[in-house]
Amino acid sequence: MNLEDILQEFVNFVEPLNWFFILYFLIVNLTYIVLVFVSLFYIKKQEKYNKVFNLTGLFQSELYAPVSILAPAFNEELNIIPSVEALLQLQYPDFEVIVINDGSSDATLERLIEHFELYTILTPKKLKLSHKPIKTVFKSNRYPNLKVVDKVNGRKADALNAGINISTKELLCAIDADSILDPDVLKKLLKAFVEDENVVAAGGIVRIANGCKIEDYIVKEVGLPKTYLGRIQAVEYLRSYLFGRVGWDYLDSLLIISGAFGVFSREAVMKVGGYLHDTVGEDMELVVRMHRYYRERDLDYRIRFLPEPVCWTEVPEDWSVLGRQRNRWQRGLADTLWRHRKMLFRPKFGRLGFMAMPYFVFVELLGPIVELFGFAYFFIVILIGSLNATFTTLFLISAILLGIILSMSAVICEEFTYRRYPSVKDVLMLSFYAFIENMGFRQVHTMWRFSGLYKFLRGDKKWGVMTRKGLESNDSESVNRKKTKEELIKQLKSAGYWSVVIIIPILLLLLVYSSVVEQGYAPNIFKIIGDIAQNL
């Protein structure tokens, strides 16, 4: 059997589902578009409310609960000093910073000891949450509210549990050690706890620091990343963090608070047993477990998302690193949904059981399977030349055009609300990347998610190495790296990804052009060129 026969067999096998693919993409993209505009309405409403709320004087310092900021760090020597300095400069009356060095093999601990003039203190004896052994606890001579915990490596969840045990404040703020927070971020985020005493957790938006101007450990000027992958992620983060999660908050069905930035009631976290050690999606798992704990006991609670408090983080600008990150996210999602599968379609869980959980199961979890087969079927049909005009048109509209509209609407809505990108050039550039995101990158991203689901089914719970350049480093360092065998392999992988990103838009453009030519709306340039060449 030759390749053409194999491809034809695949088309024959998948063909009965072709209308299902169209329906799937239609529902998913339209749902996201609705969420974006619901979020826009909700944000505008909140802005009006905040103007009144802020004038009432409720944000005087004595109304805020004290906060312990937990920053797990593993091999973060590039970013650790500016990140911790930024945390210590937050505008908040009562907080402590606890950096948990989770068995770093680089100079993370040495840099902390030297820069902050650390000295050893006694480790508390009563540690309620389990975790790997703590080696040493330090305090700073320079900053009385800074503690550093040095412990045996146990991954992020284990490190957070150690930080919770050492913490002494009423609220916990869990962030990534490479993150930079806006100075007033805690005041903005803790508004949720002031407004409603039943709030047990709240998350803020995560924005991309790549391309921003950073001075004195603060983001002074917002800019776009300089790379293709960085800019694509800027669009992604607007769509998923700003408008996706605002929409779920409006529906009181938020299942995710990013591990990069979230505030929790210490009492509530202790009640549910802290973070789980044996998952790579500890942030989402904790939030879903809190939902389940309070719903099963009929206790009043709320879990919120606020779009104003901003956490800035470095995103991967390397194909391999980004792929490992998205693979891990998919495995974490699968693990969380499997652990809490009893919440699905259970009346006791209300909107969570009938809206949020089904959406995350059938769209976020199983979506890569549908998308991969859908795109594979579409492009193989093009390759073997058995296109159906009606199917092709509807597929392009539902899978590509609506995806473009979704991404573009997120960028436009950002301009109508927070306008974090003040430059017209940046907005136009974001709009361009919102347009091209669905052609090439989305298909690569689908493969990463599919791989993550496959690895979850095989029991893979590896975290994966996340290498960083550093928020204030120069790209010239990476240019001058020695070309090793690993570097060559990485470049070959990148070339493969780039080929997908380039070839797919070309195929789609040729497909659209051929359809236009067939309808008689444009001349056949290829035929004209062929005729000219033949005459010559």
Side-chain angles (χ1 to χ4, degrees), residues 59-66 90-95 186-187:
F59 283 117
Q60 298 301 317
S61 60
E62 61 267 17
L63 291 173
Y64 287 109
L90 292 176
Q91 299 169 3
Y92 201 77
D94 187 0
F95 71 97
L186 287 180
K187 285 187 177 182

Side-chain angles (χ1 to χ4, degrees), residues 206-210 224-225 227-242 313-319 321-323 325-326 329 411 421 430 433-434 437 441 445 448 466 468:
V206 178
R207 289 183 181 266
I208 293 174
N210 308 50
L224 281 180
T227 65
Y228 168 85
L229 283 180
R231 290 172 177 177
I232 286 287
Q233 288 175 86
V235 175
E236 277 191 305
Y237 275 49
L238 278 181
R239 186 179 61 242
S240 60
Y241 277 97
L242 182 52
T313 190
E314 180 188 5
V315 296
E317 294 183 285
D318 174 271
W319 286 100
V321 177
L322 181 60
Q325 182 196 67
R326 299 311 168 87
W329 287 2
V411 173
Y421 297 98
L430 268 180
Y433 278 88
E437 179 203 7
F441 178 79
H445 190 226
W448 287 334
M466 293 290 112
R468 305 183 189 276

Side-chain angles (χ1 to χ4, degrees), residues 36 61 79 123 228 296 303 378 467 475 488 506:
V36 167
S61 60
N79 289 332
T123 303
Y228 168 85
E296 286 178 342
I303 294 176
F378 180 72
T467 55
D475 289 344
L488 179 60
I506 292 173

Side-chain angles (χ1 to χ4, degrees), residues 374-387:
F375 282 119
Y377 173 77
F378 180 72
F379 288 111
I380 289 173
V381 163
I382 294 175
L383 190 63
I384 65 177
S386 58
L387 284 174

